[in-house]
Amino acid sequence: MTNAPHPFDALMDITARPEVVFVRGAGSYLWDSNRNRYLDFVQGWAVNPLGHSPVIVADALAAQARRLLTPSPAFYNEQSLKLAKLLVDNSCFDQVFFANSGAEANEGAIKLARKFGAKYKNGAHEIITFEGGFHGRTLATMSASGKKAFEPLFEPKVPGFRKARLNDIESVRKLISSSTVAVMLEPIQGEAGVWPATDEFLKELRALTQQRGLLLIVDEIQTGIGRTGKLFGYQHAGIEPDIMTLGKGIGGGVPLAALLATEHASCFDHGDQGGTFNGNPLMCAAGLVVLDQISKPDFLKSVVDSGLLLERELQRLSSRHGLGEIRGRGLLLALDLKMPIGAAVVAEAFAAGVLINSPQPDTLRFMPALNVTREEISLVIDCLDTVLTKVGAARRVA
């Protein structure tokens, strides 16, 4: 569909987009400029934990915008102090640096680890990351990522990242040298197709890093803020990392991210880190109401319950169509299609008014709002049932 009033060519062409313009969102739904409605199980790649345009976020932004947008990061502001304290009180970390994007938070984590190595480990600077990992699109975070498509891009890469295999502790152990300062990973590798690090592996990794005097960095850009049924993904394993990064869901739809560290790992000197808009009160006001809502035990329990329901329904769908496993945790789940039809399924679902994501050709990823309803889950499953039949994935066994 071509929407002539909108000059699509004015935007830099960086990805394939359908020629549809979204103009309104509420909860799990989006509307385009032609008044078509879409049920959204992508939510900006897990950016909207409370759905589109939640009233509490809109109200917080409006109230803060009338008071103070930003005084500059050279001064304290009330909202960033409150949000930092709330994050510290709900985690194992002691200090917070606010940023604008997940990549910026991860860049900060890399810098913090290297500063730690320079100060306390004789200049150790290498960080062990993982095949399949994704940490962002800056030069350093692309270098840290284990995404194959990144390998030929923007050479030369930033050196100092060695890649281990997820859930293989020996592959990590073999890479440790006197130059190693940290290990960095996602509790669930989202872009790779939703591949979780097991709780046992995370425990082994924490023990190994402590034994060898290394920092453990968890990239919770996608898994944090209730996405897995706990406030932070690392909490499932009962471990305490040294550094954590947050993004996506923490702002409830606005650009906000955070770098958290224990007192042991917090070693920046004045001038080492900063950013013009970092920790501005407008974004932090949104973060405060999001974190206040999602950190409630009843809300987190509802995420667990909805995740189990979606997982059961996806398993039923997989059995019906002869597909593969369901991976993930909470409301970050994937369906293994067992064949490279992801793009076709996404396109057909879009045409039917349902938004889903295919991070890999043989995988569908589901990242609905954390307050998604049973009815909305049922509607997505019914749509996929029809779509899978239409694209030829169905080998009905029931």
Side-chain angles (χ1 to χ4, degrees):
M1 178 179 68
T2 300
N3 201 335
H6 298 284
F8 298 119
D9 58 355
L11 281 177
M12 192 172 289
D13 187 13
I14 58 156
T15 189
R17 297 182 176 113
E19 291 192 352
V20 167
V21 179
F22 288 116
V23 296
R24 184 166 69 90
S28 288
Y29 290 92
L30 281 169
W31 285 262
D32 68 21
S33 56
N34 290 322
R35 300 183 180 179
N36 299 308
R37 190 178 76 161
Y38 301 79
L39 178 54
D40 186 4
F41 266 48
V42 178
Q43 289 290 341
W45 278 263
V47 162
N48 304 313
L50 302 177
H52 291 284
S53 301
V55 172
I56 61 171
V57 172
D59 288 349
L61 289 169
Q64 185 59 45
R66 287 190 293 268
R67 295 180 60 200
L68 177 66
L69 291 175
T70 182
S72 124
F75 307 104
Y76 290 117
N77 74 75
E78 184 179 26
Q79 303 301 346
S80 67
L81 291 171
K82 286 181 177 179
L83 182 55
K85 183 65 164 60
L86 193 57
L87 285 167
V88 165
D89 287 348
N90 282 279
S91 71
C92 66
F93 303 98
D94 302 304
Q95 296 185 337
V96 181
F97 170 80
F98 289 112
N100 308 296
S101 68
E104 188 183 354
N106 280 337
E107 188 93 7
I110 292 165
K111 290 167 64 178
L112 185 59
R114 288 190 169 187
K115 184 64 183 256
F116 185 90
K119 292 184 76 168
Y120 305 121
K121 289 183 67 64
N122 298 314
H125 65 281
E126 288 188 349
I127 299 174
I128 297 171
T129 57
F130 290 84
E131 296 172 2
F134 178 79
H135 300 292
R137 293 180 180 276
T138 65
L139 278 176
T141 55
M142 288 180 76
S143 303
S145 299
K147 187 171 180 175
K148 289 291 184 184
F150 284 176
E151 290 182 2
L153 295 177
F154 313 125
E155 292 295 304
K157 293 289 196 304
V158 176
F161 300 98
R162 307 186 72 188
K163 305 297 190 298
R165 293 184 298 276
L166 192 67
N167 295 322
D168 183 346
I169 196 66
E170 288 306 314
S171 75
V172 179
R173 198 186 310 274
K174 290 176 182 176
L175 293 178
I176 296 174
S177 72
S178 60
S179 296
T180 308
V181 68
V183 179
M184 180 177 186
L185 81 163
E186 305 154 275
I188 300 175
Q189 291 185 342
E191 286 295 303
V194 189
W195 293 96
T198 66
D199 292 346
E200 184 59 31
F201 176 69
L202 288 173
K203 291 176 183 176
E204 291 175 337
L205 196 57
R206 175 71 286 194
L208 176 61
T209 51
Q210 287 178 325
Q211 178 188 18
R212 301 297 294 270
L214 307 178
L215 299 176
L216 178 60
I217 305 169
V218 287
D219 172 350
E220 299 239 16
I221 305 301
Q222 191 162 118
T223 54
I225 314 298
R227 178 58 52 182
T228 66
K230 289 189 180 291
L231 194 55
F232 309 115
Y234 76 83
Q235 293 172 329
H236 289 283
I239 62 169
E240 294 190 352
D242 301 290
I243 297 171
M244 176 175 70
T245 55
L246 299 171
K248 295 189 184 294
I250 189 174
V254 303
L256 180 64
L259 163 63
L260 290 80
T262 62
E263 186 175 3
H264 168 71
S266 296
C267 60
F268 279 142
D269 292 318
H270 287 188
D272 287 349
Q273 185 69 327
T276 303
F277 296 102
N278 293 27
N280 73 79
L282 184 65
M283 300 301 102
C284 288
L288 267 170
V289 295
V290 169
L291 189 58
D292 179 69
Q293 175 73 16
I294 291 175
S295 62
K296 293 175 181 176
D298 286 349
F299 188 95
L300 290 171
K301 183 181 183 302
S302 74
V303 175
V304 173
D305 292 343
S306 295
L308 290 173
L309 173 62
L310 179 57
E311 184 176 1
R312 286 195 302 270
E313 290 299 300
L314 288 172
Q315 286 172 340
R316 180 176 65 82
L317 193 70
S318 179
S319 296
R320 180 175 176 81
H321 292 278
L323 302 177
E325 66 177 345
I326 312 302
R327 298 189 297 268
R329 205 167 209 164
L331 285 170
L332 176 57
L333 297 175
L335 168 60
D336 180 2
L337 296 169
K338 295 177 69 174
M339 58 191 92
I341 57 171
V345 173
V346 168
E348 289 289 343
F350 183 87
V354 169
L355 308 184
I356 53 176
N357 169 246
S358 177
Q360 298 294 323
D362 60 354
T363 304
L364 297 180
R365 176 170 49 169
F366 302 87
M367 303 166 283
L370 300 185
N371 52 7
V372 65
T373 67
R374 296 177 67 91
E375 178 187 16
E376 289 161 353
I377 290 173
S378 179
L379 288 171
V380 166
I381 295 297
D382 288 346
C383 175
L384 281 176
D385 192 15
T386 300
V387 167
L388 287 167
T389 302
K390 185 174 182 180
V391 299
R395 294 196 307 272
R396 290 185 180 273
V397 295

PDB file of all heavy atoms in Angstrom, residues 58-77:
ATOM      1  N   ALA A  58       2.107   9.016  30.220  1.00  0.00           N
ATOM      2  CA  ALA A  58       1.732  10.284  29.582  1.00  0.00           C
ATOM      3  C   ALA A  58       1.528  11.378  30.623  1.00  0.00           C
ATOM      4  O   ALA A  58       1.973  12.518  30.441  1.00  0.00           O
ATOM      5  CB  ALA A  58       0.471  10.092  28.750  1.00  0.00           C
ATOM      6  N   ASP A  59       0.872  11.030  31.732  1.00  0.00           N
ATOM      7  CA  ASP A  59       0.627  12.014  32.784  1.00  0.00           C
ATOM      8  C   ASP A  59       1.928  12.452  33.446  1.00  0.00           C
ATOM      9  O   ASP A  59       2.114  13.642  33.753  1.00  0.00           O
ATOM     10  CB  ASP A  59      -0.320  11.441  33.836  1.00  0.00           C
ATOM     11  CG  ASP A  59      -1.755  11.330  33.334  1.00  0.00           C
ATOM     12  OD1 ASP A  59      -2.052  11.887  32.252  1.00  0.00           O
ATOM     13  OD2 ASP A  59      -2.567  10.676  34.016  1.00  0.00           O
ATOM     14  N   ALA A  60       2.827  11.497  33.688  1.00  0.00           N
ATOM     15  CA  ALA A  60       4.108  11.830  34.317  1.00  0.00           C
ATOM     16  C   ALA A  60       4.931  12.754  33.418  1.00  0.00           C
ATOM     17  O   ALA A  60       5.553  13.716  33.893  1.00  0.00           O
ATOM     18  CB  ALA A  60       4.883  10.554  34.627  1.00  0.00           C
ATOM     19  N   LEU A  61       4.940  12.471  32.118  1.00  0.00           N
ATOM     20  CA  LEU A  61       5.679  13.309  31.176  1.00  0.00           C
ATOM     21  C   LEU A  61       5.089  14.715  31.102  1.00  0.00           C
ATOM     22  O   LEU A  61       5.826  15.716  31.103  1.00  0.00           O
ATOM     23  CB  LEU A  61       5.670  12.669  29.785  1.00  0.00           C
ATOM     24  CG  LEU A  61       6.509  11.404  29.606  1.00  0.00           C
ATOM     25  CD1 LEU A  61       6.189  10.744  28.271  1.00  0.00           C
ATOM     26  CD2 LEU A  61       8.000  11.722  29.695  1.00  0.00           C
ATOM     27  N   ALA A  62       3.753  14.789  31.049  1.00  0.00           N
ATOM     28  CA  ALA A  62       3.108  16.096  30.947  1.00  0.00           C
ATOM     29  C   ALA A  62       3.379  16.938  32.188  1.00  0.00           C
ATOM     30  O   ALA A  62       3.698  18.135  32.093  1.00  0.00           O
ATOM     31  CB  ALA A  62       1.606  15.924  30.735  1.00  0.00           C
ATOM     32  N   ALA A  63       3.261  16.314  33.360  1.00  0.00           N
ATOM     33  CA  ALA A  63       3.493  17.052  34.603  1.00  0.00           C
ATOM     34  C   ALA A  63       4.938  17.519  34.710  1.00  0.00           C
ATOM     35  O   ALA A  63       5.210  18.665  35.087  1.00  0.00           O
ATOM     36  CB  ALA A  63       3.124  16.172  35.799  1.00  0.00           C
ATOM     37  N   GLN A  64       5.878  16.639  34.347  1.00  0.00           N
ATOM     38  CA  GLN A  64       7.286  17.011  34.446  1.00  0.00           C
ATOM     39  C   GLN A  64       7.664  18.062  33.408  1.00  0.00           C
ATOM     40  O   GLN A  64       8.474  18.955  33.679  1.00  0.00           O
ATOM     41  CB  GLN A  64       8.175  15.778  34.294  1.00  0.00           C
ATOM     42  CG  GLN A  64       9.652  16.049  34.509  1.00  0.00           C
ATOM     43  CD  GLN A  64       9.953  16.599  35.884  1.00  0.00           C
ATOM     44  OE1 GLN A  64       9.452  16.100  36.883  1.00  0.00           O
ATOM     45  NE2 GLN A  64      10.793  17.630  35.941  1.00  0.00           N
ATOM     46  N   ALA A  65       7.080  17.969  32.215  1.00  0.00           N
ATOM     47  CA  ALA A  65       7.393  18.933  31.155  1.00  0.00           C
ATOM     48  C   ALA A  65       7.008  20.347  31.573  1.00  0.00           C
ATOM     49  O   ALA A  65       7.647  21.329  31.153  1.00  0.00           O
ATOM     50  CB  ALA A  65       6.681  18.546  29.864  1.00  0.00           C
ATOM     51  N   ARG A  66       5.983  20.477  32.393  1.00  0.00           N
ATOM     52  CA  ARG A  66       5.571  21.803  32.860  1.00  0.00           C
ATOM     53  C   ARG A  66       6.487  22.332  33.968  1.00  0.00           C
ATOM     54  O   ARG A  66       6.500  23.532  34.246  1.00  0.00           O
ATOM     55  CB  ARG A  66       4.129  21.743  33.357  1.00  0.00           C
ATOM     56  CG  ARG A  66       3.092  21.613  32.238  1.00  0.00           C
ATOM     57  CD  ARG A  66       1.677  21.804  32.758  1.00  0.00           C
ATOM     58  NE  ARG A  66       1.276  20.719  33.654  1.00  0.00           N
ATOM     59  CZ  ARG A  66       0.642  19.612  33.250  1.00  0.00           C
ATOM     60  NH1 ARG A  66       0.356  19.447  31.957  1.00  0.00           N
ATOM     61  NH2 ARG A  66       0.305  18.686  34.110  1.00  0.00           N
ATOM     62  N   ARG A  67       7.251  21.414  34.604  1.00  0.00           N
ATOM     63  CA  ARG A  67       8.107  21.827  35.728  1.00  0.00           C
ATOM     64  C   ARG A  67       9.549  22.068  35.297  1.00  0.00           C
ATOM     65  O   ARG A  67      10.114  23.127  35.542  1.00  0.00           O
ATOM     66  CB  ARG A  67       8.079  20.746  36.823  1.00  0.00           C
ATOM     67  CG  ARG A  67       6.734  20.549  37.480  1.00  0.00           C
ATOM     68  CD  ARG A  67       6.836  19.463  38.532  1.00  0.00           C
ATOM     69  NE  ARG A  67       7.806  19.816  39.569  1.00  0.00           N
ATOM     70  CZ  ARG A  67       8.384  18.928  40.384  1.00  0.00           C
ATOM     71  NH1 ARG A  67       8.118  17.643  40.247  1.00  0.00           N
ATOM     72  NH2 ARG A  67       9.236  19.340  41.304  1.00  0.00           N
ATOM     73  N   LEU A  68      10.157  21.060  34.651  1.00  0.00           N
ATOM     74  CA  LEU A  68      11.575  21.161  34.292  1.00  0.00           C
ATOM     75  C   LEU A  68      11.906  20.085  33.270  1.00  0.00           C
ATOM     76  O   LEU A  68      11.662  18.902  33.520  1.00  0.00           O
ATOM     77  CB  LEU A  68      12.446  20.976  35.546  1.00  0.00           C
ATOM     78  CG  LEU A  68      13.965  20.982  35.342  1.00  0.00           C
ATOM     79  CD1 LEU A  68      14.442  22.356  34.870  1.00  0.00           C
ATOM     80  CD2 LEU A  68      14.673  20.583  36.637  1.00  0.00           C
ATOM     81  N   LEU A  69      12.461  20.470  32.131  1.00  0.00           N
ATOM     82  CA  LEU A  69      12.875  19.496  31.124  1.00  0.00           C
ATOM     83  C   LEU A  69      14.269  18.967  31.427  1.00  0.00           C
ATOM     84  O   LEU A  69      14.479  17.766  31.524  1.00  0.00           O
ATOM     85  CB  LEU A  69      12.828  20.121  29.728  1.00  0.00           C
ATOM     86  CG  LEU A  69      11.436  20.427  29.190  1.00  0.00           C
ATOM     87  CD1 LEU A  69      11.536  21.147  27.853  1.00  0.00           C
ATOM     88  CD2 LEU A  69      10.625  19.149  29.035  1.00  0.00           C
ATOM     89  N   THR A  70      15.232  19.866  31.560  1.00  0.00           N
ATOM     90  CA  THR A  70      16.568  19.434  31.975  1.00  0.00           C
ATOM     91  C   THR A  70      17.360  20.630  32.481  1.00  0.00           C
ATOM     92  O   THR A  70      17.333  21.698  31.861  1.00  0.00           O
ATOM     93  CB  THR A  70      17.329  18.737  30.830  1.00  0.00           C
ATOM     94  OG1 THR A  70      18.596  18.296  31.328  1.00  0.00           O
ATOM     95  CG2 THR A  70      17.548  19.655  29.641  1.00  0.00           C
ATOM     96  N   PRO A  71      18.060  20.463  33.598  1.00  0.00           N
ATOM     97  CA  PRO A  71      18.889  21.546  34.113  1.00  0.00           C
ATOM     98  C   PRO A  71      20.334  21.433  33.654  1.00  0.00           C
ATOM     99  O   PRO A  71      21.159  22.236  34.075  1.00  0.00           O
ATOM    100  CB  PRO A  71      18.795  21.337  35.628  1.00  0.00           C
ATOM    101  CG  PRO A  71      18.720  19.850  35.765  1.00  0.00           C
ATOM    102  CD  PRO A  71      17.947  19.352  34.560  1.00  0.00           C
ATOM    103  N   SER A  72      20.654  20.405  32.869  1.00  0.00           N
ATOM    104  CA  SER A  72      21.990  19.992  32.439  1.00  0.00           C
ATOM    105  C   SER A  72      22.501  18.936  33.403  1.00  0.00           C
ATOM    106  O   SER A  72      22.191  18.948  34.598  1.00  0.00           O
ATOM    107  CB  SER A  72      22.984  21.163  32.347  1.00  0.00           C
ATOM    108  OG  SER A  72      24.132  20.934  33.131  1.00  0.00           O
ATOM    109  N   PRO A  73      23.304  17.999  32.886  1.00  0.00           N
ATOM    110  CA  PRO A  73      23.826  16.928  33.751  1.00  0.00           C
ATOM    111  C   PRO A  73      24.903  17.417  34.713  1.00  0.00           C
ATOM    112  O   PRO A  73      25.419  16.620  35.504  1.00  0.00           O
ATOM    113  CB  PRO A  73      24.398  15.923  32.740  1.00  0.00           C
ATOM    114  CG  PRO A  73      24.712  16.741  31.531  1.00  0.00           C
ATOM    115  CD  PRO A  73      23.685  17.820  31.481  1.00  0.00           C
ATOM    116  N   ALA A  74      25.226  18.688  34.664  1.00  0.00           N
ATOM    117  CA  ALA A  74      26.189  19.239  35.618  1.00  0.00           C
ATOM    118  C   ALA A  74      25.562  19.465  36.991  1.00  0.00           C
ATOM    119  O   ALA A  74      26.265  19.791  37.949  1.00  0.00           O
ATOM    120  CB  ALA A  74      26.747  20.563  35.094  1.00  0.00           C
ATOM    121  N   PHE A  75      24.209  19.292  37.077  1.00  0.00           N
ATOM    122  CA  PHE A  75      23.500  19.512  38.329  1.00  0.00           C
ATOM    123  C   PHE A  75      22.612  18.304  38.639  1.00  0.00           C
ATOM    124  O   PHE A  75      22.190  17.573  37.752  1.00  0.00           O
ATOM    125  CB  PHE A  75      22.626  20.771  38.239  1.00  0.00           C
ATOM    126  CG  PHE A  75      23.387  21.991  37.802  1.00  0.00           C
ATOM    127  CD1 PHE A  75      23.250  22.475  36.507  1.00  0.00           C
ATOM    128  CD2 PHE A  75      24.243  22.639  38.672  1.00  0.00           C
ATOM    129  CE1 PHE A  75      23.947  23.594  36.092  1.00  0.00           C
ATOM    130  CE2 PHE A  75      24.950  23.767  38.265  1.00  0.00           C
ATOM    131  CZ  PHE A  75      24.805  24.234  36.978  1.00  0.00           C
ATOM    132  N   TYR A  76      22.321  18.104  39.922  1.00  0.00           N
ATOM    133  CA  TYR A  76      21.368  17.079  40.321  1.00  0.00           C
ATOM    134  C   TYR A  76      19.965  17.501  39.927  1.00  0.00           C
ATOM    135  O   TYR A  76      19.635  18.690  39.894  1.00  0.00           O
ATOM    136  CB  TYR A  76      21.392  16.872  41.838  1.00  0.00           C
ATOM    137  CG  TYR A  76      22.645  16.224  42.371  1.00  0.00           C
ATOM    138  CD1 TYR A  76      23.479  16.909  43.253  1.00  0.00           C
ATOM    139  CD2 TYR A  76      22.986  14.918  42.014  1.00  0.00           C
ATOM    140  CE1 TYR A  76      24.622  16.311  43.769  1.00  0.00           C
ATOM    141  CE2 TYR A  76      24.126  14.315  42.515  1.00  0.00           C
ATOM    142  CZ  TYR A  76      24.946  15.019  43.392  1.00  0.00           C
ATOM    143  OH  TYR A  76      26.071  14.419  43.880  1.00  0.00           O
ATOM    144  N   ASN A  77      19.104  16.508  39.646  1.00  0.00           N
ATOM    145  CA  ASN A  77      17.679  16.780  39.528  1.00  0.00           C
ATOM    146  C   ASN A  77      16.910  15.722  40.308  1.00  0.00           C
ATOM    147  O   ASN A  77      17.370  14.591  40.499  1.00  0.00           O
ATOM    148  CB  ASN A  77      17.234  16.864  38.060  1.00  0.00           C
ATOM    149  CG  ASN A  77      17.173  15.525  37.360  1.00  0.00           C
ATOM    150  OD1 ASN A  77      16.249  14.737  37.582  1.00  0.00           O
ATOM    151  ND2 ASN A  77      18.168  15.254  36.512  1.00  0.00           N
TER     152      ASN A  77
END
